[in-house]
Amino acid sequence: MLGRMMDMPLTITHLLRRAASYHAHREIVSVRPDKSRVRTTYGDLATRSARLANALTKLGVKPGDRVGTLAWNHHQHLECYYGVPAMGAIVHTLNIRLAPAEIGYIANHAGDSVIVVDQSLWPLFEKFRASVTSLQHVMVVRDKNEPLPPGTLDYDAVLAEASPDFAWPELPENTGAMICYTSGTTGNPKGALYSHRSTVLHALTASLPDVIGFAMSDVVLPVVPMFHASGWGLPYAAVLVGAKLVLPGPHLDPTSLLDLMQQEKVTVAGGVPTIWLGILALLDAEPKRWDLSSVRTMAIGGSAAPPALIDGFRVRHGLSVTHAWGMTETNPVGTVARVKPHLEADVEAAKALRATQGLALPFVETRHVDDTGRLLPWDNQAVGELEVRGPWVSASYLKDEDAHRWTADGWFKTGDVVTICAEGYVRITDRAKDVIKSGGEWISSVALENALMAHPAIAEAAVFAAAHPKWSERPVAAIVTKPGASATDDELRAHLATQFPSMYLPDAYVRLEQIPRGSTGKFLKTKLREQYGNILLG
Ligand code: ADP
């Protein structure tokens, strides 16, 4: 008889038990709206998650029920990340930057029966509350010294009254743990349901040194909101390894973040490029003000990190960047740009590789296909849609919406347009919905943006398609110049002309104070197209 291994389920509950048994003293720092810092521990996380589970049970929450959160990053939100899934219910993170009607749609669609709301976000909650017909109880995280709105429960007070012991059920690993919605730039938002298994496997893989890499000595700062694709899994990876967690609350401006990084001795931080563009600009202006010697790497993803950003941190400030790609549907990291040892020698090529979306994580597989679904070669030339599969890639949306996003053989169609090189590095040239097609030829907006952001006068650039009478579409660049700097259209054209054929060069430059941002802090090209999409029509 052959031996067998135990079939022990991979669950978030295990992470919670482990945090309590091995890392009870590890700290969780939460920044409140008034900028004061609350210090709790992993031991507190374990007992408070149990108290939350008891309180929710008393409110009638049963396994499989959805508990929404409308919250910044802080320890109470973390308790929802653990206590809700560990009791067998599903935590549903609501994106506070969406329009109220959209949040209402999403909460209703998921059928949230309880919502945990930050008191400072109450004005937003009030705007959609009435539309959530499934809602039975509202718990408010008191982050202001004001009386609670009538008919609501005080989150901390309810926990204080609840028992700190909860008999966590033995859950099958495919039990749903978290729901996250896509931001729905086209059509209604779609829900992705993450399982315990997918979450735990992702956390473990993200901790490998060639992925993002986490150790118990780390101090992890998720700048990325916990409502954006499970905070990129950072809150799970940190607890898995026993790293200190620093949760920035609502203070995401460059000065507050740099203060926090220095004072809490952050080693790994993660956020979208717009956050890091602001931080780099401030560091350039005041290079001596902060001691960032604790920082090991900054994980950047969510949209393309320009090479000028990655290199600016490295060359001018000695700070390393880890560029990663992911989606709400890939819970969330799918690829990461690490340079293989034999490719390090060519410094320029290695620099370019660091700015690609990188290599698939272990257990994730990538391929790209043409319009007819034919597989394309990994030759760095053939351009097609990226498809992925893996144990933390969604197999469907909630209620089976948009089933056409999956191929018959079980791959997810990402909507990202890419090339893949022989070494396996994925390079995104565009999102399918942002592609610029000029006279039948594809022009990569990402390549133009990267080149523009390498110009010394440019702080931010976004290139989008504008309607054109002859070529159907032509690229237009929206740019923000650095304080005190300027560049004429002719200078920018001359700068780009060294790298691109003339037909790729933008037909116009729109100068803005700031590029409009979407709900997760990324540049919002739909808004640019809406406002400036007709400027070439005269
Ligand atoms: P949203 O629709 O709000 O942007 P997601 O966060 O799920 O929602 O976005 C996923 C998309 O973000 C990807 O399909 C890709 O287009 C883009 N993206 C994520 N990471 C990167 C990256 N490192 N480089 C370029 N694009 C990225």
Side-chain angles (χ1 to χ4, degrees):
M1 173 84 172
L2 292 174
R4 288 190 304 119
M5 308 309 281
M6 291 185 188
D7 202 8
M8 183 174 152
L10 306 175
T11 62
I12 292 169
T13 323
H14 170 78
L15 301 192
L16 199 53
R17 273 200 288 264
R18 188 175 167 83
S21 311
Y22 295 99
H23 304 293
H25 300 291
R26 207 57 172 131
E27 216 176 17
I28 302 161
V29 180
S30 309
V31 184
R32 288 167 51 95
D34 66 3
K35 284 213 159 181
S36 61
R37 292 184 200 166
V38 179
R39 291 175 192 277
T40 56
T41 64
Y42 281 6
D44 297 330
L45 172 65
T47 48
R48 288 177 57 93
S49 295
R51 288 178 188 275
L52 175 62
N54 279 315
L56 290 173
T57 305
K58 215 163 156 189
L59 293 178
V61 173
K62 292 181 293 304
D65 287 355
R66 274 77 63 208
V67 175
T69 59
L70 190 76
W72 294 105
N73 293 9
H74 47 53
H75 72 86
Q76 289 95 338
H77 205 170
L78 191 70
E79 289 148 23
C80 297
Y81 260 51
Y82 282 87
V84 175
M87 69 183 283
I90 299 171
V91 60
H92 172 206
T93 52
L94 293 162
N95 182 339
I96 65 174
R97 299 213 185 96
L98 295 176
E102 208 168 9
I103 312 178
Y105 168 86
I106 290 172
N108 240 328
H109 190 266
D112 297 343
S113 60
V114 175
I115 298 187
V116 177
V117 189
D118 282 358
Q119 191 171 10
S120 56
L121 294 170
W122 186 261
L124 169 63
F125 180 65
E126 270 200 310
K127 291 197 183 121
F128 69 85
R129 172 189 195 171
S131 68
V132 189
T133 52
S134 50
L135 186 62
Q136 289 169 21
H137 301 283
V138 181
M139 295 173 87
V140 178
V141 175
R142 239 187 158 127
D143 58 7
K144 294 165 49 162
N145 283 333
E146 283 174 21
L148 287 190
T152 62
L153 299 161
D154 180 331
Y155 177 94
D156 286 311
V158 168
L159 259 62
E161 281 166 20
S163 158
D165 297 309
F166 190 88
W168 299 116
E170 285 290 327
L171 299 169
E173 63 183 16
N174 281 322
T175 307
M178 179 183 281
I179 294 177
C180 220
Y181 277 69
T182 63
S183 63
T185 22
T186 48
N188 279 328
K190 306 286 178 297
L193 172 61
Y194 307 154
S195 64
H196 281 253
R197 172 187 155 88
S198 70
T199 305
V200 170
L201 275 179
H202 175 273
L204 187 60
T205 311
S207 303
L208 291 173
D210 281 329
V211 181
I212 300 179
F214 297 99
M216 31 174 154
S217 52
D218 273 318
V219 179
V220 180
L221 169 68
V223 180
V224 49
M226 288 166 75
F227 56 74
H228 186 198
S230 71
W232 298 355
L234 302 180
Y236 290 116
V239 173
L240 170 85
V241 300
K244 171 174 157 182
L245 257 176
V246 180
L247 303 171
H251 300 290
L252 306 180
D253 61 287
T255 306
S256 303
L257 289 173
L258 285 166
D259 287 348
L260 196 60
M261 286 165 82
Q262 170 177 298
Q263 289 158 12
E264 299 297 339
K265 299 200 168 26
V266 167
T267 63
V268 184
V272 292
T274 45
I275 292 277
W276 301 109
L277 283 168
I279 287 190
L280 181 60
L282 187 57
L283 284 180
D284 284 344
E286 301 183 65
K288 299 243 179 311
R289 181 161 159 201
W290 289 276
D291 172 6
L292 298 177
S293 52
S294 61
V295 176
R296 193 161 53 71
T297 197
M298 297 168 311
I300 304 190
S303 49
L309 175 74
I310 302 176
D311 230 41
F313 274 121
R314 199 169 60 89
V315 174
R316 299 198 292 280
H317 305 285
L319 291 168
S320 130
V321 163
T322 304
H323 186 207
W325 167 92
M327 306 180 70
T328 300
E329 295 89 335
T330 64
N331 180 19
V333 184
T335 66
V336 65
R338 293 283 181 193
V339 182
K340 301 181 194 177
H342 73 281
L343 300 173
E344 287 276 8
D346 182 339
V347 175
E348 280 307 307
K351 184 170 134 186
L353 285 178
R354 272 187 210 102
T356 67
Q357 283 58 43
L359 305 169
L361 267 56
F363 305 118
V364 173
E365 294 179 7
T366 57
R367 69 182 191 188
H368 66 324
V369 298
D370 69 11
D371 289 349
T372 65
R374 194 172 52 99
L375 284 189
L376 291 170
W378 289 16
D379 61 1
N380 215 15
Q381 300 290 325
V383 179
E385 184 177 5
L386 177 67
E387 296 182 346
V388 293
R389 63 174 186 173
W392 50 88
V393 178
S394 301
S396 65
Y397 288 126
L398 284 187
K399 306 185 185 177
D400 272 328
E401 287 170 351
D402 271 12
H404 63 88
R405 293 291 298 274
W406 285 267
T407 66
D409 60 346
W411 291 65
F412 174 66
K413 304 183 197 175
T414 64
D416 284 333
V417 179
V418 305
T419 59
I420 305 181
C421 77
E423 294 277 359
Y425 288 86
V426 173
R427 185 189 307 271
I428 293 187
T429 58
D430 266 302
R431 295 184 87 156
K433 55 191 175 207
D434 294 330
V435 155
I436 306 170
K437 208 151 188 201
S438 181
E441 182 136 4
W442 271 355
I443 297 178
S444 166
S445 64
V446 174
L448 285 168
E449 288 158 6
N450 285 347
L452 281 169
M453 284 191 267
H455 187 282
I458 303 289
E460 298 179 354
V463 175
F464 58 95
H468 190 278
K470 177 165 175 205
W471 301 107
S472 109
E473 284 179 355
R474 289 292 302 150
V476 169
I479 53 164
V480 177
T481 48
K482 290 182 182 164
S486 66
T488 63
D489 290 7
D490 283 344
E491 281 163 1
L492 293 173
R493 212 170 293 126
H495 168 75
L496 293 176
T498 59
Q499 301 168 56
F500 299 94
S502 58
M503 69 108 22
Y504 280 47
L505 305 187
D507 277 20
Y509 297 86
V510 180
R511 289 174 161 71
L512 301 176
E513 291 281 301
Q514 197 193 42
I515 310 269
R517 270 107 161 116
S519 64
T520 50
K522 308 181 193 185
F523 293 154
L524 197 57
K525 294 195 193 175
T526 42
K527 192 76 175 261
L528 290 171
R529 280 200 297 271
E530 251 168 59
Q531 281 182 340
Y532 305 103
N534 289 332
I535 59 168
L536 302 179
L537 298 179

